[in-house]
């Protein structure tokens, strides 16, 4: 079983940056897939970025070129660097891990003011 916990959310002005962190309770070296999702009020949860144990990454079209997902295996932590933030990026951001089962964090709020 894996527990994941997000941190790093907050309020930022449009054009600013934030870095989200996701601390895992187990080694992430062997976790097949870790990802960031987000969910805005009244909308479905959507995939933002995914990182696989093989080193590949993929991004939603809406964040390509602005967000970067990365892992620090030594610290068992997943990151999401978010640059050039827009008001439409305002959401609760969730960390996800796929390791035989699906594991979700509680979410961290990101609010981007115009």
């Amino acid at each position: 079983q894996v527990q994941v916990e997000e941190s790093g959310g907050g309020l930022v002005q449009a054009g600013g940056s934030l870095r989200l962190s996701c601390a895992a309770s187990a080694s992430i070296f062997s976790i097949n897939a870790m990802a960031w999702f987000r969910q805005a009020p009244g909308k479905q949860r959507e995939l933002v970025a995914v990182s696989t144990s093989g080193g590949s990454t993929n991004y939603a079209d809406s964040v390509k070129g602005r967000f970067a997902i990365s892992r620090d295996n030594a610290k068992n932590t997943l990151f999401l660097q978010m640059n050039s933030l827009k008001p439409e990026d305002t959401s609760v951001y969730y960390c996800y891990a796929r390791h035989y089962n699906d594991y979700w964090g509680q979410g961290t709020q990101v609010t981007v003011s115009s």
Side-chain angles (χ1 to χ4, degrees):
Q1 190 170 1
V2 179
Q3 292 180 328
V4 292
E5 183 174 2
E6 308 92 340
S7 62
L11 173 64
V12 64
Q13 288 188 332
S17 298
L18 280 175
R19 189 176 80 155
L20 304 183
S21 299
C22 172
S25 62
S27 172
I28 67 171
F29 180 79
S30 60
I31 294 180
N32 290 336
M34 295 191 74
W36 290 96
F37 285 76
R38 67 186 181 186
Q39 187 168 19
K43 295 188 177 181
Q44 289 188 331
R45 191 170 296 190
E46 63 174 357
L47 177 66
V48 176
V50 61
S51 166
T52 70
S53 58
S56 63
T57 59
N58 203 3
Y59 298 90
D61 287 342
S62 59
V63 306
K64 280 181 182 177
R66 300 188 298 122
F67 290 12
I69 190 171
S70 61
R71 299 189 184 202
D72 186 332
N73 290 333
K75 296 183 179 180
N76 295 326
T77 302
L78 180 76
F79 299 101
L80 184 69
Q81 178 66 43
M82 305 186 294
N83 300 325
S84 302
L85 282 161
K86 304 175 181 180
E88 50 264 44
D89 295 318
T90 295
S91 284
V92 177
Y93 283 72
Y94 296 91
C95 180
Y96 165 85
R98 173 67 179 173
H99 189 60
Y100 303 106
N101 294 299
D102 296 329
Y103 300 97
W104 293 92
Q106 293 297 309
T108 185
Q109 176 70 46
V110 171
T111 303
V112 184
S113 63
S114 56

